[in-house]
């Protein structure tokens, strides 16, 4: 079973964007593994709250301009 885990800042993606990522990721995996993989493909999008991760020793807080507008 193909499994994809995507971590993104909380609020960065709208529901519609998440659905598109799920569909496009599933389609990509089907291209590699065949149509038989579609019903067994799992795409997990995890939203990480502000302050829950860091890069280069700097705790990340998503700027308001990058938050999704539903």
């Amino acid at each position: 079973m193909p499994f994809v885990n995507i971590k993104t800042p909380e609020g960065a993606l709208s529901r519609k964007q998440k659905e598109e990522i799920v569909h496009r990721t599933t389609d990509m995996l089907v291209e590699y593994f065949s149509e038989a993989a579609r019903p067994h493909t799992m795409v997990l999008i995890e939203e990480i709250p502000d302050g829950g991760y860091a890069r280069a020793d700097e705790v990340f807080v998503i700027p308001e301009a990058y938050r999704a507008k539903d």
Side-chain angles (χ1 to χ4, degrees), residues 5-48:
N5 185 348
I6 298 169
K7 295 182 189 298
T8 184
E10 187 174 55
L13 298 171
S14 68
R15 180 183 176 104
K16 183 177 179 181
Q17 289 171 315
K18 289 182 222 173
E19 289 174 3
E20 182 180 354
I21 289 170
V22 168
H23 295 306
R24 292 177 69 177
T25 302
T26 300
D27 287 344
M28 178 190 66
L29 292 170
V30 165
E31 284 182 39
Y32 287 100
F33 296 112
S34 84
E35 193 61 41
R38 187 176 301 276
H40 306 289
T41 298
M42 167 81 72
V43 179
L44 174 64
I45 299 175
E46 288 185 271
E47 293 188 297
I48 309 301

